[in-house]
Amino acid sequence: MIFMKELTGQMIQERQNAKLLSAQYARFGISEAVVRFGEETLASLTERFRQIDETAEYNQLKVTAAMQECRVSEACLLGTTGYGYNDLGRDTLEQVYAALFHTEDALVRPQITCGTHALALALMSNLRPGDELLSPVGKPYDTLEEVIGIRPSKGSLKEYGISYRQVDLLPDGSFDYDGIRAAIQEKTKLVTIQRSKGYQTRPTLSVTRIGELIRFIKDIRPDIICMVDNCYGEFVETIEPTDVGADMVVGSLIKNPGGGLAPIGGYIAGRKECVENAAFRLTSPGLGKEVGASLGVLSSFYQGLFLAPTVTASALKGAIFAASLYEKIGFRVLPNGQESRHDIIQAVTFGSPEGVIAFCQGIQAAASVDSFVTPEPWDMPGYDAKVIMAAGAFVSGSSIELSADGPIKPPYAVYFQGGLTFPHAKLGILKTLQNLIDNGLVTDDFHKI
Ligand SMILES: *Cc1c(COP(=O)(O)O)cnc(C)c1O
């Protein structure tokens, strides 16, 4: 009897809590029905979330061990000014990155302004006139088109006499091994492999698959530099591309490894010679890594890296939640709610500009910063169609924070990512759904119109 009473008491408590929670969601204009639909969706994700927590635990230990082994001290958190000679914090952080990625060296700098810059730097410093760059995984990320010269641009690799060749993935998403073998020429110097799908609807590559591709390339020509664009992929798995043979990994600190705290920055980790080339290009031949004051950003670089495994986990949970929710409603989602994940990006195809806009405006309305502004499609530098971006972020434009963007062109897919905490990601996704319902794009019994 006593047991029964307690159970009833607990049930009453739970119902009360659910009511209080619904009242909080109501402050964002989210209906009780949407909240309930979200709860039903979440109930099926317990096992997935447990696996994500396991990966985060592993990676948390990996990061902490690397910091300990490199003897990170309080003095490392301070910064330098001016030339930045003997910047202990900067040099130690680069050792931490090298330890984490199991590479000979790393370049981790606030002077690398974003992911595109890091990638451009890695390419321009390791390629020379007459060399050829090969992408064996199809078209690279939009902003790299101008770096390479696929779309003409001042200062592109093409202008410097560096040619480019591309082998697309086969229709089923697998590597076109025959095509790749045929594309490898004497002048092929560097192969660029993009881990994440970016603005495309191809699958993201797992680290294992990247390893298979690298092995194939190295079997043909071991001297080809294999570079991986690691943007959005860091800490999603327990291994990184440098664990499977990549000579260089490149990424942005305003994404996963910055943990939401880094206010700027990019990294290149890899073979000593590759990193040295990049350093000589970033600063100056001869100066390389020796200069480059860290100013005041190091403590956020360190703390962001420390938080990165769990922040990445939160973003992953948000992505899976979004996939499961929108899949149930009838939209095409990539990856789907069940697939294993290799980056934090979730694509949802709405098939109309209105769907993309309503989704992005929902994400913006859930932000902590700039929630009251309404994002509109605009001509963003580096992209060939209008893009709508939602990012009410503490770090401007940060896409490890709750954010969504979509080019206004067929198939009208939105790319959702981030969420420094899962509750915030959940809020954002529920708000997008409410927005789609309010705009007549989803019925109020949760069916695609
Ligand atoms: C974001 C991204 C980039 C470019 O990084 P920015 O910081 O936006 O310049 C390059 N490649 C991939 C796969 C990305 O996701």
Side-chain angles (χ1 to χ4, degrees):
M1 268 323 268
I2 290 169
F3 175 71
M4 282 287 288
K5 230 188 204 158
E6 275 178 71
L7 200 65
T8 317
Q10 191 190 332
M11 279 163 68
I12 291 169
Q13 188 64 48
E14 273 175 17
R15 215 165 294 155
Q16 245 162 13
N17 289 349
K19 251 204 186 123
L20 288 172
L21 194 59
S22 280
Q24 285 299 328
Y25 279 114
R27 299 174 68 185
F28 298 90
I30 299 170
S31 73
E32 226 175 299
V34 167
V35 175
R36 226 176 307 122
F37 187 66
E39 291 310 318
E40 284 163 26
T41 308
L42 262 185
S44 64
L45 298 174
T46 318
E47 176 54 24
R48 293 297 301 281
F49 282 20
R50 195 191 57 75
Q51 288 166 5
I52 291 170
D53 287 335
E54 231 173 66
T55 303
E57 183 179 354
Y58 182 94
N59 285 328
Q60 184 72 71
L61 299 185
K62 196 161 89 168
V63 168
T64 308
M67 288 191 183
Q68 289 187 359
E69 282 156 18
C70 296
R71 299 181 63 81
V72 173
S73 64
E74 195 176 349
C76 292
L77 307 179
L78 303 172
T80 55
T81 58
Y83 292 99
Y85 292 129
N86 303 312
D87 187 322
L88 174 73
R90 177 197 67 205
D91 295 348
T92 304
L93 182 66
E94 290 179 338
Q95 286 170 14
V96 171
Y97 267 71
L100 259 180
F101 285 108
H102 304 120
T103 56
E104 290 171 359
D105 206 353
L107 188 66
V108 186
R109 301 282 167 131
Q111 287 82 10
I112 302 177
T113 57
C114 61
T116 304
H117 186 188
L119 289 157
L121 181 63
L123 292 171
M124 291 176 168
S125 60
N126 281 288
L127 290 161
R128 295 289 180 271
D131 288 343
E132 187 157 277
L133 168 67
L134 170 67
S135 171
V137 296
K139 191 181 89 64
Y141 194 76
D142 290 42
T143 57
L144 286 186
E145 291 184 10
E146 283 184 77
V147 172
I148 294 168
I150 300 171
R151 273 185 289 138
S153 186
K154 291 195 175 84
S156 68
L157 292 174
K158 192 174 176 189
E159 270 199 355
Y160 283 90
I162 297 157
S163 56
Y164 171 71
R165 200 179 283 258
Q166 174 179 316
V167 178
D168 290 338
L169 296 174
L170 294 172
D172 67 355
S174 62
F175 301 126
D176 178 2
Y177 283 119
D178 293 338
I180 295 167
R181 188 192 301 279
I184 293 175
Q185 313 281 310
E186 202 172 324
K187 61 181 182 173
T188 308
K189 172 79 176 295
L190 194 152
V191 163
T192 180
I193 301 167
Q194 185 178 307
R195 180 170 174 183
S196 164
K197 70 177 100 46
Y199 278 152
Q200 291 173 77
T201 43
R202 63 133 163 117
T204 286
L205 303 176
S206 69
V207 174
T208 303
R209 284 194 68 202
I210 289 172
E212 287 160 13
L213 180 57
I214 291 173
R215 216 169 312 125
F216 178 80
I217 290 161
K218 295 276 186 186
D219 273 350
I220 300 170
R221 282 261 315 277
D223 58 318
I224 290 179
I225 300 168
C226 291
M227 177 186 102
V228 174
D229 174 353
N230 211 23
C231 284
Y232 286 131
E234 299 92 348
F235 302 122
V236 171
E237 300 182 44
T238 53
I239 50 170
E240 297 289 341
T242 40
D243 294 319
V244 294
D247 298 296
M248 210 175 8
V249 278
V250 183
S252 164
L253 299 197
I254 323 176
K255 294 179 178 171
N256 308 17
L261 294 186
I264 191 170
Y267 76 89
I268 297 171
R271 271 181 26 222
K272 197 161 195 56
E273 195 192 344
C274 296
V275 173
E276 188 169 51
N277 279 333
F280 273 35
R281 177 78 189 223
L282 175 67
T283 64
S284 158
L287 300 182
K289 293 180 74 181
E290 303 296 321
V291 296
S294 57
L295 306 173
V297 299
L298 284 176
S299 76
S300 44
F301 279 17
Y302 278 104
Q303 200 177 356
L305 181 63
F306 173 79
L307 292 177
T310 49
V311 167
T312 303
S314 301
L316 265 179
K317 289 176 184 175
I320 292 170
F321 179 56
S324 307
L325 193 90
Y326 279 104
E327 197 170 40
K328 257 166 87 172
I329 297 169
F331 290 105
R332 205 167 89 77
V333 295
L334 191 79
N336 69 33
Q338 294 76 48
E339 265 173 78
S340 68
R341 299 269 156 168
H342 310 294
D343 69 9
I344 63 166
I345 302 183
Q346 180 60 48
V348 184
T349 302
F350 287 106
S352 75
E354 293 76 21
V356 172
I357 293 168
F359 185 98
C360 289
Q361 291 181 346
I363 291 294
Q364 188 77 31
S368 299
V369 179
D370 287 338
S371 62
F372 47 84
V373 306
T374 307
E376 303 280 353
W378 65 299
D379 289 304
M380 241 190 104
Y383 296 86
D384 67 351
K386 276 193 192 311
V387 178
I388 182 167
M389 295 211 153
F394 295 105
V395 172
S396 180
S398 164
S399 51
I400 185 64
E401 296 185 47
L402 186 67
S403 53
D405 33 67
I408 304 297
K409 62 180 180 187
Y412 300 103
V414 80
Y415 298 82
F416 161 80
Q417 67 269 313
L420 297 183
T421 68
F422 175 67
H424 191 229
K426 181 180 167 189
L427 166 67
I429 294 151
L430 293 181
K431 183 65 184 163
T432 63
L433 175 54
Q434 185 69 57
N435 227 17
L436 284 153
I437 294 170
D438 294 347
N439 282 281
L441 299 162
V442 169
T443 64
D444 51 17
D445 60 348
F446 309 111
H447 292 291
K448 171 187 169 186
I449 292 176

